[in-house]
Amino acid sequence: MSGAYQRAQRSCSAPSDYLFVGRRNNASQRAWQQKRRNECKNLREIGKTVGKTHSSIQRVINNYTSSKSIISKPHSGRPSKLTLREKRYVFKSICLNPRLSASQIANDIRERFKKLFMKIHTIRKILKKAGYHGRVAHKKLHISAVNRQKRLDFANEHVNKPPQFWEKVLFSDESKFCIFGIKGRKLVLRKQGTALEKENLVPKVKHGGDGVMVWGCRAANVVGRLTFIDSTLNHMGYINILKENLKQGEQDLNLGDDFWLQQDNDPKHTAHNVELWLLYNIKNQLRSPPQSPDLNPIEHLWNLLERKIGQHPITSK
């Protein structure tokens, strides 16, 4: 016999007309009377007799043992318009297609479960209670399945590389710095109604103002050379930059001849002439997969330089 039933026996005898208010009145009464008449039977046998599961029988006994009452507690609030099965269908629909609207789900419920008076507000309340809220979707570059696999293979290949490997990598990249104006947002502390006052504005000029383009490189703990680019950079100009700076940068940073060159997949980096020059002059290349995220640590250096430039007041004169 279960522990709950033994506690019920020690407490007091329940009335023979033991009832619960609700849809399980008869089942609860039969379960308790059958338990009293057949003390040698377990909960599963009683459940088979009255057509209920053993957990339902145990719940009936526990309720009486704890409350000493034959009346069920009243339900709080109005009953839900949707059954558990219908709610599961709503959540499954959202998981399969998060772009569905509440009106589309309501129409689907009306057709599938023959609920003609299903309101959109009911669906919204159920979704909100479950933690679903309407939000604007972020826009991200579409990546094909082939490129996703290439990115995963690259990550698995290099995730366990030792620190000695990364100390031999020469990271390179180009960046443009605006001489006038600030890229991105600038926060100011102001009061309401003072947005257009001069001290709360960020000045700018037509066509974005002037700027300077640079090429730079760095190793794990050392900064390499910085080269200014005076004109539009194409694949031939990029080859000249590599000729003038790679070997010298290798000596300055003490990388040795077996260093690895890392660059992104910019069109001028992957041009045929550039590939041929690198093939005959650079032993090792750390090739990034297509559509790979820009994880080059030199981006942190560019960010620091841009913030330093923004600290200096620059005029249009």
Side-chain angles (χ1 to χ4, degrees):
M1 291 185 295
S2 65
Y5 174 61
Q6 293 175 353
R7 289 193 299 270
Q9 277 188 321
R10 289 194 298 266
S11 59
C12 61
S13 299
S16 59
D17 56 344
Y18 178 74
L19 297 176
F20 270 76
V21 177
R23 69 180 68 179
R24 291 189 292 271
N25 287 345
N26 296 334
S28 301
Q29 183 182 13
R30 290 197 305 270
W32 182 263
Q33 292 175 352
Q34 188 71 17
K35 184 69 176 178
R36 297 292 296 169
R37 289 194 298 264
N38 305 282
E39 296 180 355
C40 60
K41 292 186 177 181
N42 57 32
L43 298 180
R44 294 185 184 275
E45 293 175 347
I46 297 175
K48 291 180 181 179
T49 304
V50 299
K52 294 292 181 179
T53 61
H54 72 282
S55 59
S56 300
I57 306 301
Q58 184 68 66
R59 192 180 303 111
V60 170
I61 298 174
N62 291 340
N63 287 341
Y64 179 79
T65 304
S66 60
S67 63
K68 302 297 186 297
S69 174
I70 62 175
I71 301 177
S72 298
K73 296 180 181 179
H75 295 285
S76 60
R78 189 174 65 176
S80 177
K81 293 293 184 181
L82 296 180
T83 63
L84 292 178
R85 178 170 175 260
E86 293 164 350
K87 290 180 180 180
R88 288 196 299 266
Y89 178 78
V90 172
F91 300 143
K92 183 178 179 180
S93 300
I94 289 296
C95 292
L96 294 177
N97 186 8
R99 295 180 177 85
L100 288 176
S101 63
S103 60
Q104 291 174 325
I105 298 176
N107 292 333
D108 199 7
I109 293 284
R110 296 188 191 106
E111 295 177 2
R112 187 179 182 89
F113 299 100
K114 308 303 180 184
K115 291 203 169 186
L116 303 180
F117 300 101
M118 177 54 57
K119 296 182 179 180
I120 301 175
H121 180 66
T122 303
I123 303 297
R124 288 174 179 162
K125 286 176 60 178
I126 292 174
L127 293 176
K128 184 177 180 180
K129 188 175 181 179
Y132 291 95
H133 303 278
R135 297 291 186 267
V136 178
H138 293 278
K139 294 183 179 180
K140 292 294 184 180
L141 183 65
H142 173 72
I143 302 176
S144 63
V146 176
N147 289 342
R148 285 201 300 268
Q149 185 61 43
K150 290 181 179 180
R151 292 173 59 171
L152 181 60
D153 294 340
F154 179 85
N156 292 332
E157 180 183 356
H158 295 85
V159 66
N160 293 322
K161 292 288 186 181
Q164 293 78 8
F165 171 81
W166 298 109
E167 292 175 357
K168 286 286 186 178
V169 178
L170 182 65
F171 300 95
S172 64
D173 195 18
E174 302 91 12
S175 182
K176 182 179 180 180
F177 298 95
C178 296
I179 303 301
F180 191 88
I182 301 175
K183 292 191 298 182
R185 298 184 301 174
K186 180 67 176 180
L187 299 181
V188 296
L189 298 176
R190 61 175 179 83
K191 294 183 178 180
Q192 186 177 1
T194 62
L196 298 180
E197 293 184 3
K198 182 179 179 180
E199 55 272 13
N200 296 330
L201 297 176
V202 176
K204 67 176 185 178
V205 296
K206 290 183 178 180
H207 312 295
D210 200 2
V212 59
M213 189 82 172
V214 298
W215 176 93
C217 63
R218 61 162 296 179
N221 299 317
V222 187
V223 177
R225 300 191 125 203
L226 186 69
T227 301
F228 290 89
I229 302 172
D230 299 328
S231 60
T232 302
L233 184 63
N234 54 20
H235 67 280
M236 295 305 299
Y238 184 65
I239 291 177
N240 292 332
I241 292 177
L242 296 179
K243 290 180 180 178
E244 297 173 0
N245 295 278
L246 273 190
K247 293 297 181 182
Q248 189 63 37
E250 168 198 335
Q251 298 175 4
D252 296 342
L253 302 178
N254 297 321
L255 296 178
D257 295 336
D258 57 342
F259 75 96
W260 292 73
L261 175 65
Q262 192 278 338
Q263 57 182 0
D264 55 25
N265 292 320
D266 190 276
K268 54 182 171 289
H269 298 170
T270 57
H272 183 65
N273 292 338
V274 177
E275 292 286 347
L276 286 178
W277 189 90
L278 293 174
L279 180 63
Y280 289 102
N281 294 274
I282 303 300
K283 294 181 180 180
N284 304 312
Q285 297 182 52
L286 187 61
R287 298 182 181 274
S288 301
Q291 292 184 298
S292 60
D294 197 353
L295 302 179
N296 194 334
I298 202 174
E299 295 295 335
H300 299 286
L301 181 60
W302 297 147
N303 184 291
L304 177 62
L305 287 176
E306 187 173 359
R307 283 185 289 155
K308 292 294 184 180
I309 293 175
Q311 295 176 358
H312 297 277
I314 301 175
T315 63
S316 57
K317 296 182 180 180

